[in-house]
Amino acid sequence: MKVHEYQAKEILRRFGVPTPEGRMVTHPAAAYEAARALGGERWVVKAQIHAGGRGKGGGVKVVGSIDEVGTAAEQILGMTLVTPQTGPEGKLVNRLLIEKAVDIDKELYFSILVDRQNQTNTIMASAQGGMEIEEVAESNPEAIITVPVSATAGYSDYVARKLAFGLGLDKAVLRKFSAFVAKAYKAFVEMDGSLLEINPLVITKQGDVIALDAKVMFDDNSLRLHPELDTMRDFDEEEPLEILAGRYGVDYVKMDGGIGCLVNGAGLAMATMDIILRCGSRPANFLDIKGGANVQNVIKAFTLLMGDENVKTVLINIFGGIVKCDMVATGILEAMKSVKVDVPVVVRLSGTNSEEARKILNNADFPFITAETLIEAAEKAVEAEKGVAS
């Protein structure tokens, strides 16, 4: 789950992490009033969308008068902001964050993420703040300092000292920087974060350490432990089909290909996607209906697939273990009575009663394309997709 920058900063402030003073607004007049209430001489008007690179797309403006705050708000609110992370379709801006500008002396990059491969939380920092970390990693990888934090030993002050030394920070800011890192790490762990990125983390001319920006992502599996996050969810920023899948109780992630996948089991779903890529096409989604390949789950799955206009072909890949393949085949026929399917459907059913299942599908009114192996199914799906596209 993602939240907006202003919400991420609200969470960080609960743990004592310093951030600029700011207010979220949804109207230009409110932006004007927010700037007056905040006071100061300069303000930053920032679009609030779930994507980075907002400044490059014109979604962040630094202004020097309250009148300019209102003008900038009028320009940004309602615009479709296109950034490297939104894709060419962009995102509609419905909210702004108005903040007091700070006197920046130095910009840093700071993040905490879950390193599943090494089974640690890892803190990353770089003196090249404000840049995309991917660009830094490619052009100057030695500029990134990485410090793993053991799950068993936990956080210690040594972590902040190692980061500060690698960043070349003055002793004058070491105490404030150490306090910042400790509080940020506490927020990350206690809120079950999967990513905390602050870019830039700034040191002001007064020697303060402040999160000038903030991006936070939470582990969906822990949301029941944090009911307060429900109020922060912005459905306008999420993929509608993924929202629907959440209500259905199936695991679904929309992608950019043309072959819709319907699979039982996450591992099998990943393998199916890999084979589609190997055969020269791209999957339209990850879709795991889990162990229950029953009629209702198949109906839900077809509803999701047919709701994606990019789907040109459906590939069903079911392994029948406890669930018998002939029962799944019957379920597919029943599901298609409820959902209009107007694209080719390739079916590979393997396991218990797979022969009986293929007979059921071959005798059906719908022209199913059946396959015995996964590679055969993927090849037929790619061929069918090309036929639709032509």
Side-chain angles (χ1 to χ4, degrees), residues 99 116 218 238:
E99 288 186 334
R116 301 190 186 280
F218 301 97
E238 298 184 24

Side-chain angles (χ1 to χ4, degrees), residues 12-273:
L12 291 175
R13 284 193 291 269
R14 295 180 203 166
F15 291 86
V17 177
T19 71
E21 293 182 68
R23 295 188 179 184
M24 188 277 291
V25 301
T26 57
H27 191 275
Y32 180 93
E33 293 301 325
R36 284 184 43 173
L38 290 169
E41 298 179 349
R42 292 185 304 126
W43 298 266
V44 184
V45 182
K46 308 177 78 174
Q48 297 296 283
I49 60 172
H50 288 177
R54 293 167 295 169
K56 296 178 180 178
V60 178
K61 296 184 182 294
V62 181
V63 297
S65 73
I66 290 181
D67 286 340
E68 288 180 286
V69 171
T71 301
E74 289 178 353
Q75 293 172 347
I76 299 174
L77 272 174
M79 74 180 292
T80 299
L81 183 57
V82 179
T83 80
Q85 295 185 19
T86 64
E89 68 279 4
K91 284 183 176 286
L92 182 66
V93 180
N94 294 311
R95 309 181 192 196
L96 298 176
L97 174 60
I98 313 299
E99 288 186 334
K100 287 178 66 174
V102 300
D103 294 324
I104 300 172
D105 182 53
K106 184 178 292 186
E107 293 188 355
L108 308 172
Y109 174 89
F110 178 87
S111 68
I112 309 173
L113 60 130
V114 177
D115 184 344
R116 301 190 186 280
Q117 182 175 351
N118 296 310
Q119 299 182 1
T120 66
N121 291 329
T122 295
I123 302 180
M124 298 172 58
S126 173
Q128 298 185 27
M131 292 183 61
E132 298 291 338
I133 195 63
E134 294 84 2
E135 296 176 12
V136 178
E138 183 175 348
S139 62
N140 190 17
E142 62 274 10
I144 301 175
I145 302 103
T146 302
V147 182
V149 181
S150 167
T152 52
Y155 180 86
S156 69
D157 291 340
Y158 157 80
V159 173
R161 288 197 298 270
K162 185 173 182 179
L163 290 169
F165 178 78
L167 293 168
L169 299 183
D170 297 333
K171 291 183 179 179
V173 300
L174 179 57
R175 182 177 59 83
K176 290 183 178 180
F177 178 78
S178 297
F180 181 97
V181 175
K183 291 172 181 177
Y185 188 81
K186 181 179 175 66
F188 179 81
V189 172
E190 293 194 9
M191 294 301 295
D192 291 304
S194 58
L195 171 69
L196 166 61
E197 184 178 63
I198 298 172
N199 188 27
L201 166 64
V202 300
I203 300 172
T204 69
K205 293 179 179 178
Q206 295 76 31
D208 295 320
V209 181
I210 297 177
L212 198 64
D213 195 4
K215 175 182 179 180
V216 179
M217 295 174 62
F218 301 97
D219 186 338
D220 290 349
N221 295 312
S222 70
L223 292 181
R224 61 185 178 82
L225 302 176
H226 306 285
E228 70 275 18
L229 294 177
D230 284 342
T231 61
M232 294 186 172
R233 192 168 180 180
D234 186 352
F235 289 105
D236 290 337
E237 291 286 326
E238 298 184 24
E239 167 57 46
L241 290 175
E242 293 180 9
I243 297 171
L244 184 60
R247 293 171 181 165
Y248 283 167
V250 299
D251 294 334
Y252 174 90
V253 179
K254 190 179 183 306
M255 304 178 77
D256 59 0
I259 298 180
C261 303
L262 191 166
V263 190
N264 67 326
L268 187 59
M270 295 296 290
T272 303
M273 294 163 59

